[in-house]
């Protein structure tokens, strides 16, 4: 039998024929080796104690200096006391209208946030173009940049010429992208951190898990920041048919593999991780590494950062590197300098891969302290660059201590086949994942972090109080439908009946009939229904919800709303990930549209239902006060619009059109707008931007990407109503843009594409489209087909053309099939100007236009010379769930946003409104 030392020596020499060496080690030999190693470790610990203490005492001071310098360089030092908020990051400014390159380090954080909001895969690029005065710039041809040869005479002032030349604009990368990320996270509040991490996940960037902060002598485990990340993957059970599964990234368990560096390693951990995560024909750069041309300067403050990324199977054998989800962790920096983070990784990982060229005595001591650990350890060595004999000696001692054998030591040198080496690492990962091993969720990892003394971002008092309140509410929800029926009772039959009566009253008023007995009966019936609602008291769950959003702490309100969203999602009834009949699976038989007799998905229980219940209490009470049936002094719910407005101002979408009854609670909406007018005071100039289209055409994703909004996305899994969000314009840009805020409205699932023959359903969709477009200055129509726009939308255009109020409009065709579609092509824009199909002609005929409407260009408001039609490339680059958002999609959305803002600034979006005018318009429509 070969000794452990012989096994390691063969490995270090690069031998690959280790099958000839017996893999086992006798128990007696292992016990003897462990005893010897223990004695030597104690001796070395005593020898080195004083040296280590002296080194450690100087370390924090140097780190403090570097951190402060980095924050000052990036212009973030002012955000240490008052953290940067999500609202600060999402403001519209002059920079929102131009594709600019950073010219100074202070531009980098804002450039990163802007590109990340747009899901731009190049967000990590920290390249700058240094700005110089115009008179110092060299003459250039417009079509190309030519290399210049500079001459000077010996009599000239050579030094002046040299210094002048050095100030020409040149690309520069003074900041490492990981330093930029750490500085920005340290300067952001928890909600902006969460948004940054969510957008990074959509770009398939590795996510921060442990954030170092040596300035304040603690490191933070980012549990809250990761809460919003949702992962989808193909789950293949041992028996049966596989299917898509969706779960929170912090709650799902998976085998975890950590990659760390000890001292110096000639091999790049991040490049190795990217190779392990990527199929051979689809390279990915989840982890930033030194060979990426996006910022190659050494790290200043990011050492100690721990990143996490997941491999998620798609169900395709040619793409799935592993058959199940696997998590990978990457510690930046040397384990000796970041022992706390390394210790955490050893306690949460299934296996740890240690990359090194040399094993020093100090490193051996650190590794020896891990004796008894249940974690498996693997070494990746580059022996030709290391101290061969020293490595042999320490590895021989570590093999029995860490319970390794020859298969746990891998050698990679310059001559090693890279593809074969990656396959070997993958096989080790797959073998460990198949065997009984540690499987933790991120939430469980946070428990281990707390025990080691790391700070967990979720542990603040406001977050925990909000979580406890959410749990008290959701604990009582056993069945979502039953809860809506028994606890949120105002949304049941009384509201549906009241909405129907209101529609009949509106129809009678619109017909211009004189007041008669029938209208009086309708009014009396409406008051009875409202009185019936007003006699009820809010249920216990709603009272708890109201208490949560009434907290004097603004942060606690925001925490509570996020917790409620996730808590309600967890208790919701399970439903198929993809319904049997979705929007796209209902293929047309004649003219490209779908007849929606009924909505195709059940509406999940969400925060909007609690707010809808508050709106109904306010609606019933206001109706009675207006009719003189209730004294104003006896109002109980007059403060509800103010509570809801706080949520709107902090980025929560509020419902404009009720998704269950497809009607507008007029008193509630006008109450919200009145509160908004009072709150905004002098900054009350509004532009209303709406997005219409059938569910599944990508309109919500488009709005979220353009403005950083939070509209629900995904076919068949979100609320059905129309929702609104408020986007703030920076004060120094509002005068130029001509407005102070943009009110963005998403039509949700209201415009389904009903045929004209659908009768009442079509008329309802046409009325809702008319309402939304009538309120709007700008309308974006999102299309999944190139031939026809939805009949209800065309119908609304024709109605509004008669009134003279036609919003500025943009038709957006989104490529929903091709994940790697090329950029805009002129031929893709032609079909919307071609003669319409039968459906569009039918919509025109309903408005008595007949065959006079042959193309969109025939409409009075449509100018074919202007660009009103956009082709947006596919959202994904590659195959989900491991696909990133395509660069073409991001760039096309930016161009669309720039065009919309340019139209607003140039006054092409009709007259901007103030809030009082909007209130009156809501009442009229």
């Amino acid at each position: 039998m070969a000794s452990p030392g012989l096994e390691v020596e063969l490995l270090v020499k690069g031998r690959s024929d280790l099958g000839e060496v017996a893999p086992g080690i006798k128990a007696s030999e292992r016990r003897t080796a462990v005893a010897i190693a223990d004695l030597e470790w104690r001796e070395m610990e005593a020898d080195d104690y004083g040296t280590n203490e002296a080194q450690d005492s100087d370390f924090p001071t140097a780190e403090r200096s570097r951190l402060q310098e980095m924050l000052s360089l990036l212009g973030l030092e002012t955000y240490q006391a008052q953290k940067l908020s999500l609202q600060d990051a999402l403001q519209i400014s002059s920079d929102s209208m131009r594709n600019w390159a950073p010219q100074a380090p202070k531009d980098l954080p804002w450039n990163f946030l802007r590109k990340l909001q747009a899901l731009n895969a190049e967000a990590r690029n920290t390249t700058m173009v240094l700005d110089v005065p115009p008179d110092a710039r060299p003459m250039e041809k417009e079509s190309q940049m030519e290399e210049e040869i500079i001459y000077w005479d010996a009599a000239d002032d050579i030094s002046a010429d040299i210094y002048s030349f050095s100030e020409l604009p040149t690309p520069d990368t003074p900041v490492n992208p990981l330093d930029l990320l750490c500085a920005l996270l340290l300067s952001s509040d928890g909600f902006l951190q969460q948004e940054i991490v969510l957008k990074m996940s959509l770009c398939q960037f590795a996510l921060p898990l442990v954030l170092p902060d040596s300035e304040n002598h603690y490191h933070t485990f980012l549990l809250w920041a990761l809460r919003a990340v949702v992962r989808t993957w193909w789950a293949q059970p041992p028996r049966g048919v596989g299917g898509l599964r969706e779960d929170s990234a912090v709650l799902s368990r998976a085998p975890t593999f950590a990659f760390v560096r000890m001292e110096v390693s000639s091999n790049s951990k991040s490049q190795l991780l990217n190779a392990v995560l990527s199929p051979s024909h689809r390279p990915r750069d989840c982890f930033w590494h030194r060979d990426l041309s996006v910022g190659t300067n050494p790290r200043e403050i990011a050492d100690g950062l721990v990143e996490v990324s997941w491999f998620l199977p798609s169900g395709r054998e040619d793409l799935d590197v592993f058959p199940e989800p696997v998590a990978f962790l990457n510690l930046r920096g040397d384990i000796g300098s970041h022992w706390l983070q390394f210790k955490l990784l050893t306690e949460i990982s299934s296996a740890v891969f240690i990359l090194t060229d040399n094993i020093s005595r100090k490193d051996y001591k650190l590794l020896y302290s891990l004796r008894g650990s249940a974690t498996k350890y693997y070494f990746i060595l580059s022996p030709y660059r290391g101290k061969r004999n020293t490595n042999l000696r320490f590895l021989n001692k570590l093999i029995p201590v860490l319970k390794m054998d020859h298969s746990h030591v891998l050698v990679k040198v310059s001559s090693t086949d890279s593809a074969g080496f990656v396959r070997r690492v993958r096989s080790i990962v797959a073998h460990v994942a198949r065997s009984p091993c540690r499987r933790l969720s991120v939430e469980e990892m946070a428990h281990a972090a707390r025990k080691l003394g790391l700070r967990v971002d979720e542990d603040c008092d406001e977050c925990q109080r909000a979580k406890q309140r959410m749990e008290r509410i959701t604990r009582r929800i056993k069945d979502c439908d039953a809860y809506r029926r028994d606890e949120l009772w105002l949304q049941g039959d009384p509201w549906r009946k009241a909405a129907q009566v209101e529609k009949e009253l509106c129809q009678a008023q619109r017909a211009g009939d004189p007041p008669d007995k029938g209208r009086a009966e309708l009014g009396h019936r409406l008051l009875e229904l409202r009185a019936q609602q007003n006699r009820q008291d809010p249920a216990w769950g709603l009272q708890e919800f109201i208490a949560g959003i009434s907290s004097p702490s603004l942060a606690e309100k925001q925490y509570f709303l996020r917790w409620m969203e996730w808590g309600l999602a967890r208790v919701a009834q399970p439903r198929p990930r993809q319904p049997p009949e979705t929007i796209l699976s209902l293929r047309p038989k004649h003219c490209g549209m779908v007849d929606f007799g009924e909505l195709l998905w059940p509406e999940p229980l969400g925060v909007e239902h609690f707010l809808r219940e508050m709106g109904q209490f306010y609606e019933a009470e206001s109706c009675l006060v207006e009719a003189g049936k209730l004294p104003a002094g006896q109002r109980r719910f007059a403060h509800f619009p103010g509570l809801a407005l706080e949520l709107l101002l902090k980025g929560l979408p509020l419902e404009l059109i009720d998704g269950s009854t497809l009607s507008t609670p007029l008193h509630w909406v006008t109450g919200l707008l009145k509160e908004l007018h009072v709150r905004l005071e002098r900054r009350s100039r509004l532009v209303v931007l709406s997005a219409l289209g059938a569910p599944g055409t990508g309109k919500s994703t488009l709005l979220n990407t353009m403005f950083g909004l939070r509209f629900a996305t995904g076919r068949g899994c979100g609320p059905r109503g129309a929702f609104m969000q408020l986007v703030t314009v920076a004060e120094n840009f509002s005068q130029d843009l001509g407005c102070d805020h943009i009110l963005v409205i998403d039509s949700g699932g209201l415009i389904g594409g009903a045929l004209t023959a659908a009768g009442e359903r079509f008329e309802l969709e046409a009325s809702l489209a008319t309402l939304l477009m009538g309120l709007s200055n700008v309308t974006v129509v999102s299309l999944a087909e190139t031939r026809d726009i939805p009949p209800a939308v065309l119908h609304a255009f024709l109605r509004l053309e008669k009134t003279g109020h036609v919003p500025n409009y943009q038709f957006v065709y989104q490529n929903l099939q091709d994940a790697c579609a090329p950029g805009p092509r002129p031929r893709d824009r032609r079909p919307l100007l071609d003669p319409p199909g039968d459906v569009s002609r039918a919509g025109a005929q309903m408005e008595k236009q007949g065959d006079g409407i042959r193309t969109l260009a025939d409409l009075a408001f449509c100018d074919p010379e202007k660009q009103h039609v956009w082709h947006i490339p596919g959202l994904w680059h590659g195959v989900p769930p491991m696909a990133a958002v395509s660069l073409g999609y991001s760039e096309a959305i930016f161009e669309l946003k720039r065009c919309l803002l340019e139209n607003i600034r140039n006054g092409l979006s009709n007259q901007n409104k103030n809030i009082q005018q909007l209130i009156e318009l809501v009442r009229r429509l």
Side-chain angles (χ1 to χ4, degrees):
M1 168 160 314
S3 67
L6 176 58
E7 291 182 354
V8 175
E9 184 172 4
L10 289 170
L11 285 165
V12 174
K13 288 180 179 179
R15 289 277 301 275
S16 60
D17 55 343
L18 293 174
E20 301 174 3
V21 181
I25 301 175
K26 289 183 179 179
S28 58
E29 291 180 358
R30 186 184 296 277
R31 285 195 297 271
T32 303
V34 168
I36 295 172
D38 182 67
L39 179 60
E40 292 183 353
W41 180 80
R42 292 176 187 276
E43 292 173 353
M44 288 186 291
E45 184 181 43
D47 292 342
D48 292 348
Y49 179 76
T51 305
N52 289 340
E53 184 178 37
Q55 291 173 347
D56 292 344
S57 64
D58 294 335
F59 182 71
T61 303
E63 284 297 315
R64 264 200 305 275
S65 174
R66 285 204 295 270
L67 179 59
Q68 288 301 323
E69 287 178 3
M70 181 59 63
L71 293 173
S72 177
L73 178 70
L74 296 172
L76 295 174
E77 69 274 16
T78 57
Y79 296 107
Q80 298 314 295
Q82 184 69 33
K83 299 293 186 182
L84 193 64
S85 72
L86 181 57
Q87 284 66 39
D88 295 332
L90 298 182
Q91 278 193 123
I92 292 177
S93 66
S94 58
D95 292 335
S96 305
M97 297 183 62
R98 58 190 180 95
N99 196 7
W100 57 281
Q103 297 179 341
K106 290 183 184 342
D107 295 335
L108 292 174
W110 304 102
N111 181 65
F112 175 78
L113 289 172
R114 179 178 60 84
K115 286 192 172 181
L116 201 59
Q117 175 189 315
L119 304 178
N120 191 309
E122 296 180 349
R124 293 180 293 189
N125 193 329
T126 59
T127 302
M128 297 187 302
V129 177
L130 300 182
D131 193 20
V132 297
D135 55 358
R137 295 173 184 167
M139 298 296 293
E140 298 172 350
K141 293 183 179 181
E142 292 183 2
S143 60
Q144 62 181 357
M145 293 284 292
E146 296 184 340
E147 183 177 349
E148 296 185 13
I149 302 176
I150 298 180
Y151 301 93
W152 57 75
D153 293 331
D156 291 341
D157 186 351
I158 296 177
S159 62
D161 286 337
I162 292 173
Y163 289 125
S164 177
F165 177 75
S166 67
E167 293 174 359
L168 294 178
T170 56
D172 194 19
T173 54
V175 178
N176 186 288
L178 296 176
D179 287 338
L180 172 63
L181 175 64
C182 289
L184 191 53
L185 290 173
L186 289 170
S187 307
S188 304
D189 67 15
F191 303 99
L192 180 54
Q193 287 181 349
Q194 199 173 83
E195 185 72 7
I196 289 172
V197 170
L198 175 61
K199 299 294 187 183
M200 289 178 66
S201 73
L202 292 173
C203 294
Q204 291 297 338
F205 298 160
L207 308 181
L209 182 69
V210 176
L211 180 64
D213 181 5
S214 297
E215 170 77 10
N216 298 303
H217 304 288
Y218 61 69
H219 310 295
T220 304
F221 190 94
L222 298 177
L223 177 60
W224 172 260
L226 285 160
R227 277 278 176 198
V229 178
V230 175
R231 292 298 189 187
T232 304
W233 68 93
W234 183 265
Q236 182 66 55
R239 295 184 181 87
V241 180
L244 286 177
R245 182 181 170 187
E246 185 176 277
D247 201 359
S248 166
V250 304
L251 298 178
S252 54
R253 291 175 173 169
T256 303
F257 296 86
F259 284 68
V260 301
R261 171 172 60 82
M262 187 168 67
E263 296 287 352
V264 176
S265 173
S266 304
N267 297 308
S268 167
K269 298 191 314 299
S270 301
Q271 284 181 299
L272 176 60
L273 278 166
N274 289 339
V276 169
L277 282 164
S278 306
S280 57
H281 58 291
R282 289 183 184 270
R284 300 187 181 103
D285 288 315
C286 299
F287 293 92
W288 178 86
H289 57 84
R290 57 198 176 203
D291 287 347
L292 288 177
S293 58
V294 294
T296 55
N297 276 24
R299 295 187 297 271
E300 295 291 337
I301 63 172
D303 279 349
L305 173 70
V306 178
E307 299 167 288
V308 60
S309 187
W310 287 267
F311 174 82
L312 302 167
S314 64
R316 285 181 47 174
E317 292 185 3
D318 60 325
L319 296 178
D320 289 348
V321 176
F322 305 106
E324 64 173 322
V326 180
F328 292 90
L329 303 176
N330 184 10
L331 171 62
R332 300 290 182 167
D334 167 48
I335 62 173
S337 303
H338 307 285
W339 176 251
L340 185 62
Q341 289 93 319
F342 177 59
K343 180 67 174 172
L344 173 66
L345 299 189
T346 65
E347 296 191 8
I348 64 178
S349 301
S350 310
V352 176
F353 288 79
I354 302 172
L355 284 76
T356 188
D357 290 351
N358 298 314
I359 303 177
S360 66
R361 183 167 63 168
K362 178 182 176 182
D363 296 326
Y364 169 72
K365 288 169 49 184
L366 294 175
L367 295 173
Y368 183 84
S369 68
L370 301 174
R371 63 191 184 280
S373 170
T375 304
K376 296 179 174 64
Y377 295 91
Y378 295 84
F379 284 85
I380 297 178
L381 302 176
S382 299
Y384 297 145
R385 296 177 179 272
K387 299 177 181 177
R388 178 177 174 275
N389 293 332
T390 305
N391 287 344
L392 280 173
R393 181 162 59 91
F394 285 125
L395 278 171
N396 285 333
K397 296 173 182 177
L398 286 172
I399 278 182
V401 173
L402 299 181
K403 302 177 183 177
M404 302 189 305
D405 59 36
H406 70 274
S407 65
H408 289 231
V409 182
L410 289 73
V411 176
K412 185 176 186 300
V413 295
S414 57
S415 59
T416 304
D417 174 34
S418 297
F421 187 80
V422 169
R423 286 195 296 271
R424 187 176 178 191
V425 174
R426 283 180 185 161
S427 68
I428 293 173
V429 170
H431 173 73
V432 173
R434 283 194 303 268
S435 62
C437 65
R438 180 185 288 139
R439 292 169 180 258
L440 298 181
S441 66
V442 174
E443 207 169 49
E444 291 166 333
M445 294 177 186
H447 295 316
R450 290 186 186 97
K451 291 179 181 178
L452 289 173
L454 275 78
R455 173 179 173 267
V456 177
D457 57 354
E458 250 180 36
D459 289 350
C460 65
D461 291 341
E462 292 132 326
C463 183
Q464 290 305 306
R465 284 196 300 266
K467 181 181 180 181
Q468 290 163 10
R469 190 182 295 277
M470 175 274 293
E471 290 172 340
R472 289 198 297 271
I473 296 173
T474 56
R475 199 177 294 127
R476 297 193 176 196
I477 304 176
K478 308 302 180 185
D479 179 270
C480 293
D481 291 335
Y483 188 85
R484 276 200 294 258
R485 183 178 61 251
D486 300 335
E487 297 290 321
L488 305 176
W489 45 67
L490 263 61
Q491 298 169 53
D493 287 338
W495 171 221
R496 292 189 181 90
K497 291 175 181 176
Q500 183 59 38
V501 172
E502 285 181 335
K503 288 174 187 175
E504 292 175 10
L505 275 171
C506 287
Q507 288 169 356
Q509 291 169 2
R510 196 164 58 223
D513 297 335
D516 57 12
K517 185 178 178 181
R519 285 176 60 181
E521 287 179 356
L522 286 174
H524 181 68
R525 215 161 88 211
L526 179 61
L527 286 176
E528 283 183 348
L529 290 168
R530 292 305 190 188
Q532 180 184 343
Q533 288 181 307
N534 194 56
R535 283 193 291 269
Q536 303 290 340
D537 290 319
W540 179 87
L542 182 62
Q543 292 181 34
E544 277 288 296
F545 179 84
I546 293 169
I549 63 174
S550 302
S551 169
S553 167
L554 182 58
E556 188 170 335
K557 288 182 192 178
Q558 293 178 274
Y559 279 122
F560 173 69
L561 282 170
R562 296 291 173 92
W563 279 119
M564 282 295 294
E565 290 173 359
W566 302 324
L568 293 173
R570 296 294 294 179
V571 301
Q573 288 179 332
R575 57 186 182 277
R577 181 65 184 87
Q578 193 166 11
E581 290 187 321
T582 62
I583 306 303
L584 292 180
S585 66
L586 291 175
R587 285 299 169 197
K589 295 182 180 178
H590 51 288
C591 53
M593 303 308 294
V594 179
D595 184 4
F596 277 56
E598 295 291 336
L599 292 167
L600 297 183
W601 66 86
E603 193 177 25
L605 180 64
V607 169
E608 66 275 3
H609 290 90
F610 289 83
L611 290 168
R612 191 184 293 170
E613 188 79 357
M614 291 173 59
Q616 282 306 299
F617 275 108
Y618 181 84
E619 190 81 14
E621 187 178 77
S622 299
C623 187
L624 295 176
V625 170
E626 187 177 69
K629 301 295 184 181
L630 180 72
Q634 294 182 16
R635 299 197 66 160
R636 296 181 293 164
F637 311 118
H639 63 295
F640 279 7
L643 295 178
L645 178 67
E646 288 285 351
L647 311 183
L648 179 68
L649 294 174
K650 288 302 176 183
L652 183 77
L654 293 187
E655 197 170 44
L656 176 64
I657 298 177
D658 190 307
S660 61
T661 64
L662 303 181
S663 60
T664 301
L666 187 61
H667 294 90
W668 174 244
V669 172
T670 54
L672 283 171
L673 293 175
K674 286 178 181 177
E675 286 287 337
L676 183 63
H677 179 67
V678 172
R679 186 67 57 87
L680 298 182
E681 296 178 350
R682 61 183 180 83
R683 301 200 70 218
S684 62
R685 294 176 302 163
L686 280 182
V687 163
V688 181
L689 184 152
S690 61
L692 281 70
T697 55
K699 61 186 179 306
S700 302
T701 301
L702 181 147
L703 293 175
N704 293 347
T705 306
M706 270 202 292
F707 298 110
L709 304 179
R710 300 183 57 221
F711 291 120
T713 59
R715 293 189 301 275
C717 62
R720 296 191 298 245
F723 287 79
M724 56 185 177
Q725 271 193 264
L726 197 66
V727 181
T728 302
V729 179
E731 285 199 50
N732 59 5
F733 185 55
S734 60
Q735 194 63 35
D736 187 17
L737 192 62
C739 66
D740 303 303
H741 296 83
I742 297 177
L743 188 68
V744 183
I745 302 174
D746 179 10
S747 67
L750 297 181
I751 312 298
L755 300 174
T756 55
E760 184 179 350
R761 176 69 197 183
F762 170 78
E763 178 58 33
L764 179 59
E765 286 193 11
S767 298
L768 294 172
T770 305
L771 169 63
L772 295 178
M773 292 169 61
L775 293 174
S776 304
N777 302 95
V778 182
T779 294
V780 175
V781 181
S782 184
L783 303 171
E785 305 287 346
T786 56
R787 289 291 300 176
D788 284 314
I789 61 176
V793 175
L794 179 61
H795 193 69
F797 269 121
L798 295 170
R799 279 182 177 177
L800 292 171
E801 188 181 13
K802 291 179 179 179
T803 68
H805 175 87
V806 177
N808 179 269
Y809 59 93
Q810 304 292 329
F811 293 98
V812 177
Y813 168 63
Q814 299 204 56
N815 190 331
L816 303 177
Q817 304 299 326
D818 183 4
C820 303
R825 300 185 297 267
R827 63 178 179 273
D828 292 320
R829 296 173 47 209
R830 292 302 307 165
L832 283 173
L833 299 179
D834 290 342
D838 295 338
V839 175
S840 297
R841 284 200 295 272
Q845 289 167 2
M846 285 195 69
E847 290 298 317
K848 308 287 191 295
Q849 301 291 333
D851 287 334
I853 304 298
R854 298 299 300 172
T855 72
L856 287 178
D858 291 329
L859 296 172
F861 57 81
C862 187
D863 183 357
E865 296 302 319
K866 295 182 180 178
Q867 186 181 29
H868 295 292
V869 183
W870 297 76
H871 177 90
I872 305 294
L875 174 63
W876 301 115
H877 177 70
V879 179
M882 292 298 291
V885 174
S886 76
L887 186 61
Y889 178 87
S890 174
E891 291 177 341
I893 294 297
F894 173 79
E895 284 302 314
L896 175 59
K897 177 182 179 180
R898 186 193 58 75
C899 175
L900 294 175
L901 294 178
E902 198 69 55
N903 289 345
I904 292 171
R905 182 165 67 175
N906 295 336
L908 300 180
S909 58
N910 294 324
Q911 185 178 3
N912 298 341
K913 308 170 179 67
N914 61 41
I915 296 176
Q916 289 285 25
Q917 292 170 328
L918 183 62
I919 292 171
E920 187 56 36
L921 191 57
V922 168
R923 285 175 175 156
R924 289 209 318 269
L925 287 169

